[in-house]
Amino acid sequence: MAGQLRAYRRQIRSVQATKKITRAMELIAASRIVKAQAAVKASSPYARALTRAVSAAASNSSLDHPLITEKADVTRAAVLLLSSDRGLAGAYSSNVLREGERLTAALRAEGKEVAPYLVGRKASAFYKFRRRTVAQEWVGFTDKPAFSDAKEIGVRLVEDFGKDAGEGGVDEIHVVYTHFVSMVTQEPRVIRLLPLEVVEGVEAPGDGDLAPLYEFEPSADQVLDALLPQYVNSRIFNCLLQAAASELAARQRAMKSATDNAEELVKNLTRLANNARQAEITQEITEIVGGADALASAGSTS
């Protein structure tokens, strides 16, 4: 009985120590999610406005730019997968990886070779464990991305998009990330980054309205050369911010659930320890009473 009681008390101390860690991580995530939400809110209007501007300019120009032109024979596609550097975030990374696997299977079914570009240690570990070849990986900033990180990724993707598939280039670029809807809901999504789909933000003129006219200085080619890489960087940055906010929200929920489970486990172990202690006391009383009865019986016999 004494050994069982010590074991219960040891388990209670262990669970309480774990509870302190999960509670601290919950509070850290809760404090950082506010800034992450503000960053998403601040970047989203710019990303949407830039997308509309690029799309409208491209749709109203006759320029055959490589970043907005569909290639006749698409043989190699890039998949940029945004995961997390750390765990303890519930199913956050696994949902993104699952969505990436679905996209990869769909692209391969179309006869396209897939080149993975990975962000986050979880995606890197997933591919390394399966011994898959990756084109490039970036780690160390998933919970707090900066624009310089997005620019580094964007420069590499645009550079590879400009190459032929036979030289290691890609014909199209897809991004798999987690879209932040609310503190409760985060959805894994897939967008095609390049070639640009000229559909967003282009509204048909109403009755009495004139179609917009665009003049490019110094030339349309040079304007789109400068504008489209900015579009790529801003979209990637917005996806990184969405993913960071989703990661923190998922981690806060996971750590709150772990803390609640630890509290419930401590209650159950405390009840078992009390039962063991009561059984030990009962056994001691029984032994004392039995010994007293034995002494009394021996005294009356003599």
Side-chain angles (χ1 to χ4, degrees), residues 282-298:
T282 302
Q283 182 179 357
E284 290 176 356
I285 293 174
T286 303
E287 291 174 354
I288 292 172
V289 172
D293 289 342
L295 290 175
S297 299

Side-chain angles (χ1 to χ4, degrees), residues 1-287:
M1 288 294 178
Q4 188 178 18
L5 182 60
R6 284 195 297 271
Y8 283 137
R9 288 174 176 171
R10 190 163 51 247
Q11 291 179 32
I12 290 172
R13 288 194 297 270
S14 176
V15 173
Q16 287 175 337
T18 302
K19 176 186 169 183
K20 290 180 181 179
I21 296 174
T22 57
R23 178 61 177 166
M25 295 186 68
E26 176 191 351
L27 295 176
I28 292 171
S31 66
R32 297 179 64 182
I33 189 64
V34 178
K35 291 184 179 180
Q37 285 180 277
V40 171
K41 188 176 181 180
S43 70
S44 294
Y46 175 77
R48 288 195 298 268
L50 184 57
T51 301
R52 286 196 298 267
V54 172
S55 186
S59 63
N60 287 275
S61 68
S62 59
L63 183 65
D64 186 19
H65 196 279
L67 296 184
I68 61 175
T69 304
E70 296 276 354
K71 296 186 179 181
D73 185 19
V74 178
T75 60
R76 198 163 188 260
V79 174
L80 177 63
L81 191 63
L82 306 185
S83 69
S84 64
D85 285 323
R86 297 185 297 157
L88 301 177
Y92 168 76
S93 292
S94 60
N95 288 339
V96 175
L97 293 171
R98 191 179 301 112
E99 190 67 28
E101 289 293 284
R102 280 198 288 265
L103 175 61
T104 299
L107 292 173
R108 287 174 177 167
E110 297 174 1
K112 302 173 184 176
E113 180 187 355
V114 177
Y117 294 75
L118 310 178
V119 175
R121 292 188 176 91
K122 291 298 179 181
S124 178
F126 180 84
Y127 275 74
K128 284 181 180 177
F129 180 77
R130 288 158 180 79
R131 298 181 179 178
R132 298 180 183 176
T133 303
V134 299
Q136 182 68 36
E137 59 183 63
W138 298 269
V139 298
F141 55 82
T142 59
D143 56 347
K144 195 176 180 181
F147 185 77
S148 58
D149 302 317
K151 185 176 180 181
E152 181 182 351
I153 298 171
V155 169
R156 173 62 191 273
L157 290 176
V158 171
E159 178 184 347
D160 288 354
F161 187 76
K163 298 179 182 176
D164 293 332
E167 300 175 354
V170 295
D171 300 318
E172 60 184 21
I173 299 173
H174 302 266
V175 182
V176 183
Y177 73 105
T178 305
H179 181 74
F180 182 85
V181 180
S182 66
M183 288 296 297
V184 180
T185 306
Q186 298 87 41
E187 301 174 348
R189 291 187 179 180
V190 177
I191 60 171
R192 196 185 77 174
L193 191 63
L194 292 177
L196 173 65
E197 295 176 313
V198 187
V199 292
E200 300 184 35
V202 181
E203 299 178 0
D207 296 337
D209 293 336
L210 297 176
L213 300 176
Y214 292 89
E215 293 183 1
F216 299 96
E217 291 291 343
S219 68
D221 192 8
Q222 292 177 338
V223 168
L224 284 179
D225 278 342
L227 192 58
L228 285 171
Q230 294 298 324
Y231 155 78
V232 172
N233 296 339
S234 69
R235 287 300 298 268
I236 292 176
F237 185 49
N238 183 255
C239 290
L240 287 173
L241 293 175
Q242 295 270 1
S246 300
E247 178 186 349
L248 291 171
R251 179 168 291 113
Q252 182 186 5
R253 282 201 323 275
M255 292 300 97
K256 185 180 186 308
S257 178
T259 303
D260 294 341
N261 291 338
E263 290 179 354
E264 186 65 26
L265 185 56
V266 167
K267 290 180 182 178
N268 294 336
L269 290 172
T270 301
R271 185 169 56 252
L272 292 173
N274 291 338
N275 292 339
R277 176 59 179 161
Q278 186 63 43
E280 184 180 351
I281 294 172
T282 302
Q283 182 179 357
E284 290 176 356
I285 293 174
T286 303
E287 291 174 354

